[in-house]
Amino acid sequence: MSKMSALDRSELISELKDTDWDLIIIGGGITGAGILLDGVTRGLKTILIEKQDFAWGTSSRSTKLIHGGLRYLKQLEIGLVREVGMERAIVYKNARHIVRPERMLLPIVENGSLGKTTSAIGLWIYDWLADVDKEERRIMLTREETLKAEEKLNADILIGGGLYYEYRTDDARLTIEIIKKAVELGGAAINYAEVSGFIYQNEQIVGVKMIDCLKNENIGVNGKCVVNATGPWVDKVRKLDEPMIRGKRLQLTKGVHLVVPKEKLNLNQSVYFDVAEDGRMIFCIPRAEIVYMGTTDTMYESQVDQPTTTMKDVKYILTAVNHMFPGTDLKPTDIISTWAGLRPLIHEDGKDPSELSRKDEIFISKRGLISIAGGKLTGYRKMSERILKEIKKKNEQFGIEQDIGPSQSKEIPVSGNTFGSEEEMSAHLDALINKAKEHEHRIKQLFFRYGSNTDQIIEMAQQHTLNEGTSFEQALIFAEVDYAIKNEMVLTMSDFCIRRTGMLYFDPIRLIENLEQIADAMQEILGWSNEKKDEEMRLVRLAHRMVLDFQD
Ligand code: FAD
């Protein structure tokens, strides 16, 4: 059985039932993925359970930066800046094919929240705290140099600028590559399985009650320790254990991103700037044929499962972008996609959304449920270390003998990163391109999704072209779908189109063009009926309409 193949799900369910797990993780976002990898490599028999698809929650809806959190310097969160700053170098080394250096321009404007001197000092401190490599350290620019770097900036308010580096990623792919590695090393992970309650013995949690959402079957899973890593759902899951939760609780805030075609805002690099009306900051990040812009930060009290982009969010971002790039005049009709995510932050009385700390916190219930909330995509490794420390403490308290080795995740590359250096990675990519030069663009796209696993996809496409007499481009689509089903547990078209490839966000036009072909491939491999195929296509079209349906 291949444990990450959607075709072998029944065997996985049997293993799940028959095993006494050391550690059960609820939630398949970046936090759960990090704990899975840490747990497995420290000798624990570990399983991760996700109610929807992996990275279905906030971990596919962030700004997609592995960053040191420059803006937290303004709030004097020095420790946080240092930790995530150091972490980004580790995440980059371990996930090279999906974490790429991104040059960022910070325009300094009249009446902005950062002046020339504060920006220069701030960026210097940032470089120092994050131990930034020499070639990526900040460079301060004059007004003229800033305009030369980005001629579309608002010259009327510009007084200077700074160039520095962040790292861009695909949050959902980072999550799945970590899960794949953890499973390769002996862990287990299942999607479409919801935890609905707990199993207790002597007033302590000794397992979870789980619903297999595909078969609507109730299953008991036994485990010595249970971690709740459900992001915005943390309090909901805590309430399954203690209906009146004690102590700290979550405060969700919503963040929205808008996507426009590159022609509408053709930037030379990413830009990070002040919003005139409230002094918050917004990113504009070019990516292949699009630019995405965001984010907002507003208190959120509504339903957690499906946050949406409202017209108010759209106006806020477009007003800020049009003010900073006056020639662009972006309109809501220029938007080709959006996403909205919820930050699982810790409630603090009287604080505005942007003032709430991004630090993670751990809560432990009377009956032993360990919950973790807050934090950043970038800090997932450190969060998992803190969780494993709590598990050790809990074991000591209850006299449970268990050998938990030291953390190794710093040295473990994620699936798809077999490269010791950038040079090695470029050489691998060049060799792949040489196999099919006329498809260079598409091969690069695959490579920065799957890294060294792209070899399998290309080999299969070549085979398919020979056998079926289809074009190489068509064969590549089939091979990619096949790979994702058999190695990334893709069960629905949305899994593939939204989280494994990001097509709904980054390439919505190609998504709709290729929808039928993707559906055909999934039908053939997963044995769907025609009705099932039609329903799956309908759901992707609906998702496409929903991201553009801006309610007031
Ligand atoms: P999630 O990703 O939400 O995962 C929780 C999972 O638990 C979900 O998939 C859910 O389906 C599952 N679940 C819930 N209930 C159950 C149940 N009963 N049974 C089984 N599974 C369950 N961080 C950065 O470092 N860089 C950034 O650029 C950045 N930008 C951001 C921008 C925005 C707009 C937002 C909202 C956040 C951003 N963050 C960023 C923060 C980062 O995205 C989050 O901290 C992180 O993704 C949270 O991951 P998580 O795994 O804790 O939660």
Side-chain angles (χ1 to χ4, degrees):
M1 137 169 124
S2 162
K3 286 215 283 192
M4 284 300 284
S5 172
L7 303 178
D8 293 339
R9 190 181 156 90
S10 314
E11 286 91 326
L12 180 61
I13 296 270
S14 304
E15 181 186 336
L16 212 116
K17 289 179 192 165
D18 298 341
T19 307
D20 275 326
W21 301 94
D22 293 324
L23 173 58
I24 299 174
I25 301 155
I26 317 170
I30 192 82
T31 310
I35 302 168
L36 178 66
L37 183 62
D38 213 10
V40 169
T41 50
R42 296 171 81 170
L44 299 183
K45 218 181 288 167
T46 311
I47 174 125
L48 177 151
I49 300 174
E50 163 58 49
K51 73 170 178 167
Q52 293 274 343
D53 183 28
F54 303 121
W56 175 81
T58 306
S59 300
S60 55
R61 308 173 207 205
S62 75
T63 308
K64 305 175 195 299
L65 289 173
I66 295 299
H67 62 153
L70 179 61
R71 84 175 187 82
Y72 309 126
L73 261 189
K74 277 210 248 172
Q75 289 154 288
L76 295 177
E77 295 218 44
I78 305 291
L80 181 65
V81 177
R82 182 162 184 83
E83 181 174 294
V84 282
M86 303 291 272
E87 277 304 295
R88 74 177 186 173
I90 297 169
V91 183
Y92 163 59
K93 182 181 74 122
N94 286 338
R96 252 176 234 287
H97 65 293
I98 29 170
V99 177
R100 308 297 305 149
E102 180 76 23
R103 198 168 68 153
M104 195 71 72
L105 177 64
L106 183 79
I108 303 165
V109 295
E110 278 167 11
N111 303 321
S113 65
L114 293 167
K116 265 184 167 177
T117 317
T118 41
S119 299
I121 296 172
L123 285 174
W124 181 83
I125 296 176
Y126 187 64
D127 281 351
W128 174 68
L129 283 176
D131 198 19
V132 172
D133 277 350
K134 222 174 181 178
E135 58 276 16
E136 292 186 1
R137 289 196 190 142
R138 67 102 162 101
I139 304 170
M140 297 314 292
L141 305 176
T142 62
R143 179 179 178 278
E144 287 62 41
E145 286 167 338
T146 312
L147 273 174
K148 209 168 153 198
E150 197 50 79
E151 62 283 359
K152 291 183 190 61
L153 285 169
N154 190 339
D156 292 345
I157 54 170
L158 194 70
I159 51 176
L163 278 174
Y164 74 109
Y165 274 84
E166 293 284 18
Y167 286 76
R168 200 189 62 187
T169 191
D170 180 327
D171 43 10
R173 284 227 54 86
L174 181 62
T175 305
I176 192 75
E177 296 290 35
I178 295 171
I179 292 176
K180 279 159 71 185
K181 181 49 120 190
V183 171
E184 186 190 314
L185 296 174
I190 186 156
N191 51 2
Y192 296 98
E194 179 167 0
V195 169
S196 57
F198 297 96
I199 305 170
Y200 299 94
Q201 211 174 56
N202 302 328
E203 282 299 299
Q204 284 297 304
I205 290 181
V206 291
V208 301
K209 294 175 187 164
M210 183 196 101
I211 305 162
D212 175 357
C213 303
L214 299 189
K215 294 200 168 146
N216 211 8
E217 187 191 339
N218 291 311
I219 295 168
V221 187
N222 299 318
K224 292 190 187 72
C225 187
V226 179
V227 171
N228 166 15
T230 55
W233 294 265
V234 155
D235 281 352
K236 197 174 168 207
V237 172
R238 285 168 83 196
K239 281 182 186 160
L240 295 175
D241 172 47
E242 44 178 14
M244 293 289 288
I245 49 178
R246 294 168 300 129
K248 293 189 180 181
R249 61 184 164 88
L250 286 197
Q251 170 66 65
L252 304 183
T253 78
K254 188 180 80 169
V256 159
H257 291 83
L258 311 179
V259 182
V260 294
K262 206 170 167 181
E263 318 77 90
K264 296 284 175 188
L265 181 60
N266 201 353
L267 298 175
N268 299 327
Q269 69 262 296
S270 293
V271 183
Y272 186 34
F273 60 91
D274 276 301
V275 179
E277 69 186 66
D278 61 7
R280 286 192 58 253
M281 296 195 74
I282 279 197
F283 289 101
C284 284
I285 304 178
R287 183 176 196 126
E289 301 310 311
I290 58 108
V291 178
Y292 65 93
M293 309 169 283
T295 173
T296 56
D297 197 357
T298 49
M299 292 296 188
Y300 190 80
E301 307 289 347
S302 194
Q303 50 81 23
V304 182
D305 276 8
Q306 228 24 290
T308 54
T309 303
T310 64
M311 194 45 112
K312 199 169 164 202
D313 300 323
V314 169
K315 281 187 186 152
Y316 175 88
I317 296 175
L318 290 191
T319 305
V321 174
N322 286 334
H323 181 250
M324 188 49 72
F325 305 101
T328 27
D329 193 23
L330 290 175
K331 300 181 183 59
T333 47
D334 294 323
I335 298 168
I336 55 170
S337 191
T338 68
W339 64 87
L342 299 177
R343 299 176 186 85
L345 306 177
I346 314 297
H347 176 83
E348 291 172 82
D349 277 335
K351 289 221 169 163
D352 283 340
S354 296
E355 291 169 352
L356 290 170
S357 171
R358 267 55 181 168
K359 266 193 246 152
D360 54 278
E361 288 206 31
I362 293 175
F363 318 108
I364 303 177
S365 80
K366 241 169 48 194
R367 296 195 280 184
L369 177 66
I370 303 178
S371 301
I372 181 157
K376 308 271 308 158
L377 197 66
T378 314
Y380 74 87
R381 227 183 45 83
K382 283 283 165 192
M383 287 167 78
S384 71
E385 281 182 13
R386 287 193 267 277
I387 283 289
L388 269 283
K389 207 168 157 186
E390 284 305 327
I391 296 175
K392 269 185 161 181
K393 261 203 242 163
K394 191 174 163 231
N395 284 350
E396 276 162 23
Q397 189 189 343
F398 286 92
I400 300 172
E401 281 199 21
Q402 196 170 49
D403 204 8
I404 302 181
S407 176
Q408 300 176 29
S409 58
K410 198 172 170 184
E411 307 300 335
I412 299 176
V414 304
S415 179
N417 178 20
T418 50
F419 321 110
S421 65
E422 275 290 313
E423 292 71 33
E424 239 180 74
M425 189 170 88
S426 302
H428 195 112
L429 174 59
D430 288 346
L432 281 179
I433 292 171
N434 279 336
K435 287 187 182 175
K437 271 211 163 80
E438 59 289 15
H439 298 281
E440 177 170 346
H441 171 74
R442 186 75 171 100
I443 289 175
K444 274 190 178 159
Q445 189 183 56
L446 289 169
F447 188 79
F448 290 112
R449 273 181 203 154
Y450 304 97
S452 48
N453 294 318
T454 311
D455 300 13
Q456 287 180 53
I457 298 174
I458 291 180
E459 265 166 40
M460 180 170 189
Q462 283 170 332
Q463 208 77 53
H464 205 67
T465 314
L466 288 177
N467 296 347
E468 309 283 326
T470 47
S471 74
F472 188 61
E473 180 52 40
Q474 281 175 327
L476 274 181
I477 294 180
F478 186 90
E480 186 176 2
V481 170
D482 187 80
Y483 175 84
I485 290 174
K486 294 177 183 161
N487 299 275
E488 301 193 340
M489 231 184 255
V490 157
L491 283 155
T492 73
M493 281 191 71
S494 299
D495 300 346
F496 183 77
C497 300
I498 303 176
R499 288 162 296 275
R500 298 306 179 280
T501 61
M503 282 169 92
L504 177 69
Y505 304 140
F506 307 130
D507 211 353
I509 295 164
R510 193 173 151 262
L511 166 65
I512 297 303
E513 282 169 6
N514 289 333
L515 200 63
E516 187 88 41
Q517 214 204 319
I518 296 168
D520 285 343
M522 291 200 71
Q523 179 176 35
E524 185 178 330
I525 303 161
L526 287 167
W528 285 346
S529 64
N530 288 338
E531 292 70 36
K532 171 75 177 162
K533 181 180 117 179
D534 290 347
E535 173 60 7
E536 286 286 321
M537 284 173 69
R538 187 188 72 77
L539 290 175
V540 177
R541 288 201 182 100
L542 178 69
H544 183 238
R545 274 203 308 278
M546 295 253 302
V547 295
L548 295 174
D549 183 15
F550 315 132
Q551 307 282 337
D552 279 325

